Each structure stands twice: as structure tokens, then as C-alpha cells.
Amino acid sequence: MAKSNTTADTKGETARPPRAPKRTTSTAASRPARRAASAKAETPYHHGALREALLQAAERVLERDGLAGLTLRAVAREAGVSHAAPTHHFGDLTGLVSELAAIGFRQFNAAMASACDAATSPLERALARPKAYVAYAQAHPGMYGLMFRTERLDYSRPSLHEAAESSFAGLANAIGAMRQEPISGDALTIEQGAAIARAWSMVHGFTMLLLDGRLEDILERLPDGTTAEQLLEAILKSTVAGKLPPA
């Protein structure tokens, strides 16, 4: 009987259709996909590189969307990181834009220094700095605008303070070279202060008119093909005429 029962049981098992494999629930199946999507949404950075990546993302947002579009969330989204990342590295939006402005001033200063180094005559040197000033603003209008939005910046941050002071020192030195006298940025005579303010006002004013499209009316009245750079050069030459040191 035992043998008969075993045979029957075996036949019964053989007769059953094979069981279908267990189906994975939709939740479990979706986990790898969700993890993959999350990995795409947040770009991995080493801790030291994330701060730089956030600043690069902030500059892209600033140039594309303007200062009004520059928010901590927009920067995090642009960099592909969590919304908390900018706060962790910069504290708040003022901290972020202040560090970004510091980068702008360093780029600005380097552009002007490079232009002056390439000049080969006193006239070229006198024209190089203001021409590089305007060229930087044209290439980076968002950054340039941010650098002079004092109410949005925290100048107590060492990086911004140092970069802005370096920019002023470069201007003071250029005016000193034209006046053929040393100028200390910490203590100016009224004449030195007037010369610095006059030069800065002229170039900054020209830059803002150019960026705002307000020079088009003048350019349209000039001979065909006259550029804003040629107009600037004519202004500068008339300003420095007779004031340059001998070659």
C-alpha cells in the first residue's frame, strides 16, 4: 500500500501544470528605475568640487535669466544637486551672489591686466584698460551688473572685499601712471580722487549706455560701419591727449 500511495502521489505531481514564476510587484520593479532617475537628477560631486560647480551654475543662471532669476533653488536645479546644497555652502542668497561677484571682479581684473601687459606704447596702455573694461561687460553683462549692485552684496566677505579692492587699486595705478605720480589707494588728494572718479564715471557710464542700447542713436548718425569700440577709442584719445608720459 505504501508503494501504491507513493506512485499515485508521484503521478499526481507529474500531472500538475508547472507553477508560473512569482511575479514581482510593480513597486519592487520600479525601484531600480527610480534609483536611476534619482542618480540622473542629482549629479555626484566631491565635496570640494561642489562649491565650484554651484558657482559655475550660478553664473550660467545669472547670464541666462538675469539677477531676478538667480535664486538658490534655480542654482541647485542648474547644478543638478539637492536644494539644500547652496545653503550649506553659502548660507543664503547674499552669500552666494557675493562669492559670485568676487569671481566676476577677479575675471574683470585679469582681463584688464592682460590687456595692459600686451600694450607696447603709452597710448596703447592708456587705451587698453578701459577697452578691456567695456569688452568684459559686453561679454558678461549679467556678471558685470551684479558686481555693481552694492545693495545685494556683502563686502565684509574677504573674497569679495579683496577682489573689489584689487580692482580699485588697478584703476588708481592707471591714473597714477597717467599723472606720472604714485597714488595710494588709502589716502588720496582731492585732485587724485577727482581724476579717478572722472575716469571711472566716463568708462562706466559709456558701458551702461552701451549695454542698455542707448548709444544706438549716436552710432546710427556716424559713418557706416563705425563700431562702439571705435567710438570709445575716440573718446579715450580725446581724454588722454597731451597727458601721456613720453614713450
Side-chain angles (χ1 to χ4, degrees):
M1 292 292 292
K3 185 175 181 180
S4 175
N5 288 342
T6 302
T7 303
D9 291 345
T10 304
K11 288 180 180 178
E13 288 178 5
T14 304
R16 294 191 190 107
R19 293 180 180 177
K22 290 184 178 180
R23 296 180 62 187
T24 307
T25 64
S26 59
T27 302
S30 64
R31 283 175 187 161
R34 288 181 182 176
R35 280 196 291 268
S38 177
K40 288 181 180 179
E42 295 191 11
T43 305
Y45 294 103
H46 293 295
H47 182 76
L50 178 54
R51 187 178 188 277
E52 180 64 24
L54 288 167
L55 288 168
Q56 291 174 357
E59 184 172 358
R60 291 194 299 272
V61 172
L62 176 63
E63 295 296 348
R64 184 184 65 230
D65 303 328
L67 188 54
L70 184 61
T71 65
L72 294 179
R73 281 183 171 268
V75 171
R77 187 165 54 248
E78 180 73 19
V81 297
S82 72
H83 291 159
T87 302
H88 174 73
H89 284 275
F90 304 104
D92 56 15
L93 185 58
T94 297
L96 173 63
V97 297
S98 298
E99 292 300 324
L100 187 59
I103 291 174
F105 272 112
R106 289 195 290 270
Q107 294 173 346
F108 186 56
N109 298 341
M112 289 186 287
S114 178
C116 290
D117 289 344
T120 58
S121 71
L123 177 59
E124 284 186 2
R125 280 190 290 275
L127 302 184
R129 184 179 181 87
K131 288 170 79 170
Y133 184 115
V134 175
Y136 178 84
Q138 285 183 287
H140 309 277
M143 187 75 93
Y144 180 80
L146 173 64
M147 288 156 51
F148 294 99
R149 291 294 298 272
T150 306
E151 79 282 4
R152 297 293 302 270
L153 304 177
D154 177 8
Y155 277 90
S156 70
R157 297 180 79 95
S159 57
L160 177 56
H161 178 76
E162 180 181 345
E165 283 294 304
S166 179
S167 183
F168 182 81
L171 172 60
N173 290 338
I175 298 302
M178 190 172 298
R179 290 170 60 87
Q180 301 180 54
E181 63 180 8
I183 292 184
S184 168
D186 296 328
L188 302 172
T189 66
I190 186 65
E191 292 80 10
Q192 291 170 341
I196 291 171
R198 181 169 55 248
W200 192 4
S201 298
M202 180 185 70
V203 179
H204 183 71
F206 181 92
T207 301
M208 295 307 298
L209 289 171
L210 179 61
L211 293 181
D212 290 343
R214 302 299 297 274
L215 291 177
E216 292 301 321
D217 186 55
I218 293 176
L219 290 170
E220 288 172 0
R221 299 167 190 260
L222 296 176
D224 289 346
T226 303
T227 65
E229 184 177 358
Q230 290 172 322
L231 178 60
L232 173 64
E233 186 169 318
I235 295 170
L236 295 171
K237 285 181 176 179
S238 66
T239 304
V240 302
K243 300 179 180 179
L244 295 175

